[in-house]
Each structure stands twice: as structure tokens, then as C-alpha cells.
Amino acid sequence: MTGAGESLVNNPGRRRASGPGALGLVLGHPFDTVKLLGFFKGMSFPIVSIAVVNSVLFGVYSNALLALTATSHQERRAQPPSYTHVFIAGCTGGFLQAYCLAPFDLIKVRLQNQTEPRAQPGSPPPRYRGPVHCAASIFQAEGPRGLFRGAWALTLRDTPTLGIYFVTYEWLCHQSTPDGQNPSSATVLVAGGFAGITSWVTATPLDVIKSRMQMAGLEQRAYRGLLDCVVSSVRQEGLGVFFRGLTINSARAFPVNAVTFLSYEYLLHSWG
Ligand SMILES: C[N+](C)(C)CCCC[C@H](N)C(=O)O
């Protein structure tokens, strides 16, 4: 089970929580970018960001669950927490990691979108030379707040869906593991993979809106806010617009999150 009873401070394994995220990201980045025909474009930046974001996500989740249940990882094997507590702890982690993720995600989306239209011979050079140049350009053009473009949509996307993420993982592990025992590696892989899929299926509609808000700063079309972006997207493209990228998100989510949870449980087990 995700060792929710540990705090990052008490458990060295938790201090390495970002490791599994980076491993998972390398697996999933081509899927994430193929939506925009970019493959490995802009990957260096998410590798750095996943270290920060996953540490915050899993650290806040663990500490929130510790605060809610006052039970250690060991104790929780025998008495699993309520799924309400798991959901609240997951939402707390989701809310706080969103603000760490926002600038990194904006830069990733801007770099990935550069692949369209594909550069033709003799065409002008791409707008951004790389992640650092992209960050500097946004900062120069829009100030520090520009780096948080789409942050609200990202927060609305991640808060509930990361609650669902951890509830799905804990529930699947609990269903397949005898009380008081550790889930097997196969259980962790399958539970982590389906947790990722469930989370992305519920997050895709707002993921579409978030990406549009992040790109709005470049195009003439600047939305008057989140609701304006939703209404104009539905008006122009119908309700199907909310499921754009769902297949790719789901195909990517299984391996990424299976590996993320497996390496995370492995780190906990080795250093826990
Ligand atoms: C909340 N949302 C669905 C956006 C992400 C949930 C899984 C996060 C994981 N690091 C991944 O990249 O798949």
C-alpha cells in the first residue's frame, strides 16, 4: 500500500519519491507529445519538473494522511484508512502540486505546440529555442504571472482527479492483497496503471481547456477566463472537444503510473 503513514522527513524512501516519477515520465513523454507530433521535444524540462512535482504530491499526500489518520505505514497495513481520508489527502496533494507544476507545464505545452505547423525549409525559426528561453520569453512578455497562465484550470483539473488517483490505487491494492501484507509487484503495477487511467479519463476535459488557456497568450484568441474558454470551445467544436487526447492520455497513463507506483513502493520498501 502507498505508505501513507510516513512523512517525508521520517522516511528517507519518501525523500526519493521524485525518482519514480522521472522514470515514469521518460516512458510516457512520447505519448504525451504525440498529441502534438513532438515526440521527445521539451522533455528535459518535465524531467526536472517531475522531481519537484512528485516530491510535493507524494509528500503532501503522505503527511495529509498521517494528519488525518494518525497511523504509521506499518499500522495501516492492518487497519487501512477510510477512502474519504485517502481522497482528502490526495486532493490536498493535488492542489498544492498544481502550483509547483504550473510553470513547468506551461513551458512543456508551449514547446510541444511549436511542432505545429511543422517547420518547412526556409520557414522562420521556432519561437522558443528551448525551455529556458521559453521561460525567459514568457517572463519578459507577461511578467512572473505569465508563467502561471492556465494555473487555475490546472488546479481544477488536478485537485479532484488526484484524489481519485490515490483512492483507485489504494482500493485496487486492498482488493488484491491479504490484510496486513504488502501488495505484490504485479498488484502495484496493475493498480498504479489503472489509477493513472482513471485519473486521466476524469481529467481530460479540463486538460483540453487548460492547454488552450496556456496557448491563449500566444494567439489573437485570448479568452476572458476559464468559462469563456469552455463555452467558446463547445460552441465551435461541440462536446466532443472535451475528449480530445483521451486515448493517448489513457495509453500513456498505464505504463507511466504503473512504473511510478512500483518504483515508489520499491523505494519505500528499500528505505522504509
Ligand atoms: C491528475 N492527472 C490526471 C493530470 C495526472 C495524474 C497522474 C500523474 C502522473 N505523474 C502522470 O503523468 O500520469
Side-chain angles (χ1 to χ4, degrees):
M1 303 280 268
T2 304
E6 258 63 40
S7 74
L8 271 177
V9 175
N10 301 333
N11 186 298
R14 285 301 167 86
R15 282 197 286 276
R16 296 170 182 80
S18 53
L23 196 58
L25 180 114
V26 171
L27 266 182
H29 193 75
F31 292 96
D32 186 31
T33 326
V34 78
K35 284 183 273 183
L36 302 159
L37 302 178
F39 292 107
F40 288 96
K41 244 190 197 323
M43 187 169 93
S44 56
F45 218 68
I47 284 260
V48 171
S49 69
I50 206 78
V52 172
V53 171
N54 264 18
S55 296
V56 172
L57 173 61
F58 283 93
V60 170
Y61 168 70
S62 305
N63 282 283
L65 207 50
L66 180 65
L68 287 166
T69 61
T71 54
S72 75
H73 182 54
Q74 290 298 340
E75 290 158 351
R76 284 188 46 240
R77 283 201 188 102
Q79 48 186 80
S82 73
Y83 292 115
T84 305
H85 283 157
V86 171
F87 182 74
I88 293 169
C91 290
T92 308
F95 180 81
L96 293 175
Q97 62 85 48
Y99 272 87
C100 303
L101 176 61
F104 294 115
D105 192 62
L106 171 67
I107 289 161
K108 184 192 77 168
V109 167
R110 290 282 177 95
L111 289 175
Q112 287 172 334
N113 274 280
Q114 282 202 138
T115 56
E116 292 183 359
R118 285 172 178 270
Q120 305 300 332
S123 63
R127 176 190 295 266
Y128 304 119
R129 293 193 297 274
V132 175
H133 178 246
C134 178
S137 306
I138 295 169
F139 187 91
Q140 198 171 14
E142 304 173 52
R145 286 184 54 166
L147 288 170
F148 289 87
R149 180 180 286 279
W152 265 120
L154 188 73
T155 304
L156 287 175
R157 181 197 77 173
D158 284 5
T159 301
T161 55
L162 280 166
I164 293 168
Y165 180 68
F166 284 105
V167 166
T168 305
Y169 176 71
E170 300 287 358
W171 183 79
L172 286 172
C173 281
H174 185 65
Q175 295 308 310
S176 326
T177 309
D179 284 350
Q181 292 183 23
N182 276 322
S184 67
S185 298
T187 298
V188 169
L189 277 170
V190 171
F194 280 110
I197 289 178
T198 309
S199 186
W200 273 106
V201 165
T202 50
T204 293
L206 262 174
D207 186 54
V208 169
I209 298 303
K210 180 267 307 176
S211 299
R212 291 179 175 216
M213 298 289 286
Q214 289 170 325
M215 287 309 293
L218 280 188
E219 300 138 12
Q220 270 43 51
R221 178 86 185 102
Y223 299 106
R224 288 191 303 277
L226 195 61
L227 194 58
D228 176 44
C229 179
V230 170
V231 170
S232 56
S233 298
V234 172
R235 196 172 286 152
Q236 288 162 21
E237 301 167 67
L239 287 172
V241 70
F242 289 127
F243 298 96
R244 187 138 318 150
L246 177 63
T247 309
I248 285 284
N249 284 344
S250 304
R252 169 196 170 280
F254 193 93
V256 168
N257 293 285
V259 169
T260 297
F261 273 105
L262 184 69
S263 37
Y264 184 64
E265 292 289 355
Y266 172 77
L267 285 170
L268 270 186
H269 189 70
S270 332
W271 280 285

